Amino acid sequence: MSAVAINDIFIENPYSGHQELTTLEADVLWEYAKLAQNVKQLTAKSKTLTKEPDEILLARLRELEKKMGLVMTLYKASIWGVINEQHS
């Protein structure tokens, strides 16, 4: 199976010509090989995502942080206004 390129595993069954395997066994092994390759790709992608922060997500979170700061400031100002009205 090492002679088969990684992307070829999804196109061609490397077990199809094996003399000791039935067609069903070859197909099952091929499905396992495709599944294993998908898991490897998923693992590599998740490692990439955890090592490098998502710049788009960080930008959105920064915007949200600014808006929440503004909301908090307005909330404090309105509470301060209510407290001052009660004392007057």
Side-chain angles (χ1 to χ4, degrees), residues 5-42:
I6 292 173
N7 290 332
D8 289 344
I9 196 74
F10 297 107
I11 299 169
E12 184 181 342
N13 185 349
Y15 303 102
S16 64
H18 200 280
Q19 298 171 359
E20 296 179 15
L21 297 175
T22 66
T23 305
L24 179 61
E25 290 171 336
D27 288 343
V28 169
L29 286 174
W30 187 28
E31 290 300 322
Y32 277 121
K34 291 190 288 186
L35 178 63
Q37 187 59 38
N38 281 328
V39 169
K40 287 177 187 176
Q41 289 174 349
L42 179 64

Side-chain angles (χ1 to χ4, degrees), residues 4 12 47 68 73 80-81:
V4 178
E12 184 181 342
K47 283 181 182 178
M68 290 301 296
T73 302
W80 183 254

Side-chain angles (χ1 to χ4, degrees), residues 12 19 33 39 49 51-52 57 69 71 81-82 87-88:
E12 184 181 342
Q19 298 171 359
V39 169
L49 289 174
K51 288 180 182 178
E52 300 173 8
L57 178 60
V71 167
V82 169
H87 291 294
S88 300

Side-chain angles (χ1 to χ4, degrees), residues 81-88:
V82 169
I83 291 172
N84 281 338
E85 283 180 14
Q86 290 177 351
H87 291 294
S88 300

Side-chain angles (χ1 to χ4, degrees), residues 45-87:
K45 187 66 172 175
S46 65
K47 283 181 182 178
T48 302
L49 289 174
T50 57
K51 288 180 182 178
E52 300 173 8
D54 185 6
E55 295 300 324
I56 296 171
L57 178 60
L58 287 177
R60 288 180 180 172
L61 288 174
R62 282 188 198 107
E63 280 183 39
L64 181 62
E65 183 181 25
K66 289 177 187 175
K67 289 177 183 178
M68 290 301 296
L70 178 61
V71 167
M72 185 64 170
T73 302
L74 293 173
Y75 179 75
K76 286 179 182 179
S78 66
I79 294 297
W80 183 254
V82 169
I83 291 172
N84 281 338
E85 283 180 14
Q86 290 177 351
H87 291 294

